[in-house]
Amino acid sequence: MRPRTIAIVSTGQAPTGYMVSDKSVQFPNIDRLTQGIDRVTRRNDNIYLDAQTLAEGLFADSMATNMFMVGVAYQAGALPISAAAFDWKASSARSDH
C-alpha cells in the first residue's frame, strides 16, 4: 500500500534540555532521520528545510517558525484546507480585538 503521508520537516537543530545539561549528548544524524521518515511517507513529496533559520531571516523572529511551516505545508498541498479558510480565520482574529 502506498503511503498517504507527506512530511514537512524542519531540519534545524535546537538542543533539548537533556543536551544542555549533558554536553556529551549529540544531535542525531540528520541523514538517518530523513531516511527513516522517507521510508514511511511519500518520499518524493516530502519537504525538508531549516524553517527556523528561514523564519528568523524573513520575520526577524523564531516565533514565526510554526506558522511558516503551516504555510509551507499549505503550499505543498499537504493541508486539506482552502485559502478562504485561512482568510476567514485571519479576518475573524482581527475583528476580535
Side-chain angles (χ1 to χ4, degrees):
M1 184 163 116
R2 182 175 183 254
R4 295 177 20 170
T5 302
I6 297 172
I8 311 297
V9 179
S10 180
T11 58
Q13 295 181 332
T16 64
Y18 189 60
M19 292 172 136
V20 171
S21 65
D22 183 350
K23 301 292 184 193
S24 68
V25 177
Q26 301 293 310
F27 285 102
N29 180 289
I30 191 73
D31 292 332
R32 287 182 49 204
L33 292 174
T34 57
Q35 288 169 4
I37 292 168
D38 285 344
R39 273 195 301 278
V40 295
T41 58
R42 290 172 34 191
R43 176 186 185 153
N44 293 333
D45 296 320
N46 292 344
I47 298 173
Y48 297 97
L49 68 158
D50 184 348
Q52 183 172 342
T53 298
L54 290 167
E56 287 173 349
L58 291 167
F59 307 109
D61 191 346
S62 65
M63 295 300 290
T65 303
N66 287 339
M67 247 0 234
F68 179 80
M69 290 296 286
V70 170
V72 171
Y74 174 76
Q75 290 185 13
L79 294 179
I81 191 167
S82 68
F86 276 110
D87 188 47
W88 175 83
K89 187 60 180 168
S91 298
S92 174
R94 283 191 297 272
S95 66
D96 288 345
H97 297 293

